[in-house]
Amino acid sequence: MDCRTGFRLKRRLVSEANCQKGLQNVRFIPLSRVHPYIAEFHTIKVGIKPSKDWATTGVIDQYFPQDSFCVVRITDLRGEYVHVYITGKAYKQYERAIGMGSILVLKRPESLCPPDTGKAAALHVDQVQQMWVMGQSLDLKQCQGYTKKEQRCQEWIDIRQGEYCNEHLMKICSYSKNGRMELASGDTGFDIRWTTVIKKSDGSISYQAMKKPEQVQSSTQNAKKALAYYVKGIGLVTVTGEQFKKKPKKESDGMDKTAIEQILKGRYDPGAQMIRKLKGIKEEEPEHLLSKEALVKMGIGNGAPLTKEEEEKKKRTFDELKNATKRQETKKKPRYIEL
């Protein structure tokens, strides 16, 4: 049995001495006080924030594994629940050891801000030093009731308190009440609560009912209504391990790029040039009858100097024109004209 929490273990993985050594220099917070403690980290009240050097322990009663992380819900077997996101090196190290009934020890966990006001915060660990698996719980057991035919209830309970969860106990009480007139006609109620032991100043002990927090969801169906927290490196993840992914952008149903090229072919007006720039179409330079040098002189070209090939081509053209004029001058005219 663990001396701090009273959990009974059927298989211990970490000795009591190592647990005591690992929890040195940190304040141990029972799971029943975790929600008020971490709520002070996110409050808007001005004051000294609580220390981040703290630890807690709980039994896993819900487990949602994913490829690179997992989401678990730990309980103290007395109606208190906290969701924990295990990622990074911590998940790789303890992936095989984590499961239903595992007793987790969390040391200096990161608190995740609740999505809405009035909702419970969650915890996040990603380093090996932030957690370890103490062992396997002896008292966690699945409820013996059925939600549907051949579908067993998914709630896990403390075997020392009975074989049925609170919801099934309420149903059993209502069935009995409807069948008995002395109970159906009166205002008899049935309420299940854990009690806390309070020691008074005179030494006497009193028992008070412990109210169930409104933000804690006990049933699996309510949990699937999905609180979601932002986890660094992963994104928005629900308490059931589902990720919110961005919807892919739909491609525009406009005209094909090749069809636009065919339409703009041979058009060089400002509108056509603008469409080419927007669609990323390479603009084809129009073929001009005038030479590049002539276009530059007219102010139409880009003013770039002629290349060597263009210079040689220009020189050959002028030489051919000179030779043609010389041949015409040297050619003798006939002295006689035949009629």
Side-chain angles (χ1 to χ4, degrees), residues 269-281:
D269 55 279
Q273 293 178 0
M274 182 63 68
I275 294 173
R276 286 192 182 95
K277 288 181 180 179
L278 292 175
K279 297 295 182 180
I281 300 173

Side-chain angles (χ1 to χ4, degrees), residues 292-293 304-317:
K292 191 174 182 181
E293 189 177 9
L306 298 176
T307 61
K308 291 183 178 180
E309 294 180 358
E310 291 175 342
E311 289 284 354
E312 292 177 357
K313 187 176 180 181
K314 180 181 176 183
K315 188 177 180 181
R316 286 196 300 270
T317 304

Side-chain angles (χ1 to χ4, degrees), residues 8 10 59 76-78 137-144 152 155-165 194:
R8 297 193 302 172
K10 64 180 178 182
V59 182
D76 61 349
L77 299 178
R78 290 182 174 271
S137 174
L138 179 64
D139 301 319
L140 190 70
K141 183 180 179 181
Q142 191 173 0
C143 175
Q144 296 294 321
R152 195 168 173 182
E155 286 294 323
W156 291 73
I157 57 175
D158 187 353
I159 194 175
R160 294 172 291 183
Q161 307 301 325
E163 296 182 349
Y164 296 94
C165 65
W194 290 94

Side-chain angles (χ1 to χ4, degrees), residues 142-155 164-165 167-168 171 220-221 224:
Q142 191 173 0
C143 175
Q144 296 294 321
Y146 286 82
T147 55
K148 295 180 182 179
K149 188 178 181 180
E150 298 181 357
Q151 184 176 353
R152 195 168 173 182
C153 179
Q154 297 299 316
E155 286 294 323
Y164 296 94
C165 65
E167 293 184 4
H168 277 94
K171 289 181 180 179
T220 307
Q221 293 180 352
K224 287 184 178 179

Side-chain angles (χ1 to χ4, degrees), residues 1-204:
M1 179 181 289
D2 182 48
C3 62
R4 293 179 181 270
T5 59
F7 293 147
R8 297 193 302 172
L9 290 86
K10 64 180 178 182
R11 185 166 61 94
R12 179 180 281 275
L13 300 178
V14 180
S15 65
E16 183 70 23
N18 289 335
C19 286
Q20 294 289 349
K21 185 178 179 180
L23 294 177
Q24 289 179 351
N25 303 323
V26 293
R27 178 185 175 187
F28 183 80
I29 306 294
L31 205 66
S32 58
R33 300 179 187 173
V34 166
H35 283 299
Y37 187 80
I38 61 180
E40 298 181 13
F41 288 101
H42 307 288
T43 183
I44 60 174
K45 295 180 180 179
V46 178
I48 300 174
K49 299 294 182 182
S51 174
K52 294 184 179 180
D53 297 330
W54 65 282
T56 189
T57 305
V59 182
I60 296 178
D61 69 337
Q62 286 186 6
Y63 176 53
F64 303 99
Q66 304 296 327
D67 293 335
S68 59
F69 69 95
C70 72
V71 185
V72 300
R73 191 181 74 169
I74 58 175
T75 178
D76 61 349
L77 299 178
R78 290 182 174 271
E80 291 291 339
Y81 306 95
V82 178
H83 289 98
V84 183
Y85 291 79
I86 304 174
T87 63
K89 296 180 180 178
Y91 180 66
K92 291 181 180 179
Q93 178 71 20
Y94 298 106
E95 181 180 2
R96 295 184 179 180
I98 297 172
M100 295 296 296
S102 299
I103 301 177
L104 295 186
V105 181
L106 306 177
K107 182 179 179 181
R108 297 188 182 94
E110 177 191 359
S111 62
L112 300 178
C113 184
D116 300 317
T117 56
K119 300 295 183 181
L123 301 177
H124 174 224
V125 292
D126 60 350
Q127 299 297 326
V128 179
Q129 299 82 1
Q130 290 183 290
M131 65 164 289
W132 63 84
V133 181
M134 183 189 298
Q136 195 72 17
S137 174
L138 179 64
D139 301 319
L140 190 70
K141 183 180 179 181
Q142 191 173 0
C143 175
Q144 296 294 321
Y146 286 82
T147 55
K148 295 180 182 179
K149 188 178 181 180
E150 298 181 357
Q151 184 176 353
R152 195 168 173 182
C153 179
Q154 297 299 316
E155 286 294 323
W156 291 73
I157 57 175
D158 187 353
I159 194 175
R160 294 172 291 183
Q161 307 301 325
E163 296 182 349
Y164 296 94
C165 65
N166 294 348
E167 293 184 4
H168 277 94
L169 289 176
M170 295 289 289
K171 289 181 180 179
I172 292 170
C173 179
S174 63
Y175 293 154
S176 300
K177 186 177 179 180
N178 294 333
R180 298 176 62 180
M181 294 301 297
E182 66 272 17
L183 297 178
S185 59
D187 57 354
T188 305
F190 183 71
D191 190 11
I192 302 173
R193 291 186 184 180
W194 290 94
T195 58
T196 54
V197 180
I198 298 177
K199 191 174 183 179
K200 296 183 179 180
S201 58
D202 57 355
S204 61

Side-chain angles (χ1 to χ4, degrees), residues 212-223:
K212 188 176 181 180
E214 294 180 359
Q215 66 269 23
V216 176
Q217 298 171 335
S218 59
S219 65
T220 307
Q221 293 180 352
N222 291 335

Side-chain angles (χ1 to χ4, degrees), residues 286-300:
E287 296 181 359
H288 297 284
L289 297 175
L290 299 176
S291 64
K292 191 174 182 181
E293 189 177 9
L295 292 173
V296 172
K297 290 180 179 179
M298 294 172 63
I300 300 175

